[in-house]
Amino acid sequence: MENMTMTSHVDTCFDCAKACEECATACIEAGDTDSKGHDMTACIKLCRDCADICTLCGRLTARGSQFMKSFMAVCAEACEACAAECEKHASHFAHCKACAEACRKCAEECRQMAA
């Protein structure tokens, strides 16, 4: 794997983790439900899981771990689940929209890199 591609992927993973952390924090600060009464618990949980998984994926990629490619598949799965949940709230929360976009980008890259 080309070094520049790996560096870019590491950045994508960490950018996604950051978006997930920001989304989870904003959801927690807003309370357990959004303005339309939707329960935000699933969003918070998925964002927290996704942030941890993306961080580990980025770290494994940065060190060229023998496990990075198989872990990228797990990362893509987590990102897709998080994006799907955040998209439910994207029309009324900018942080959910940003998180969904970062997760979709990371999932796509992980799938390409793992292939």
Side-chain angles (χ1 to χ4, degrees):
M1 204 175 294
E2 186 183 312
N3 193 30
M4 192 60 179
T5 303
M6 286 178 50
T7 301
S8 173
H9 182 66
V10 170
D11 290 344
T12 298
C13 288
F14 288 140
D15 288 347
C16 187
K18 180 179 179 283
C20 288
E21 290 289 359
E22 289 171 348
C23 187
T25 298
C27 288
I28 290 167
E29 289 172 351
D32 291 339
T33 57
D34 69 12
S35 60
K36 297 186 186 239
H38 298 121
D39 185 1
M40 298 302 288
T41 305
C43 187
I44 296 164
K45 286 180 176 182
L46 281 166
C47 283
R48 292 175 67 211
D49 286 350
C50 193
D52 287 346
I53 291 167
C54 286
T55 300
L56 182 54
C57 189
R59 291 175 67 199
L60 292 173
T61 302
R63 71 177 74 130
S65 170
Q66 65 182 350
F67 303 106
M68 71 183 180
K69 284 196 175 206
S70 57
F71 202 80
M72 285 174 189
V74 173
C75 189
E77 185 179 341
C79 286
E80 287 164 356
C82 189
E85 182 61 33
C86 283
E87 283 167 351
K88 294 177 185 177
H89 312 287
S91 65
H92 48 279
F93 285 126
H95 55 83
C96 285
K97 183 176 190 225
C99 186
E101 290 170 358
C103 285
R104 290 282 178 215
K105 179 181 179 186
C106 190
E108 183 181 330
E109 256 189 51
C110 280
R111 293 254 184 247
Q112 289 173 355
M113 300 281 288

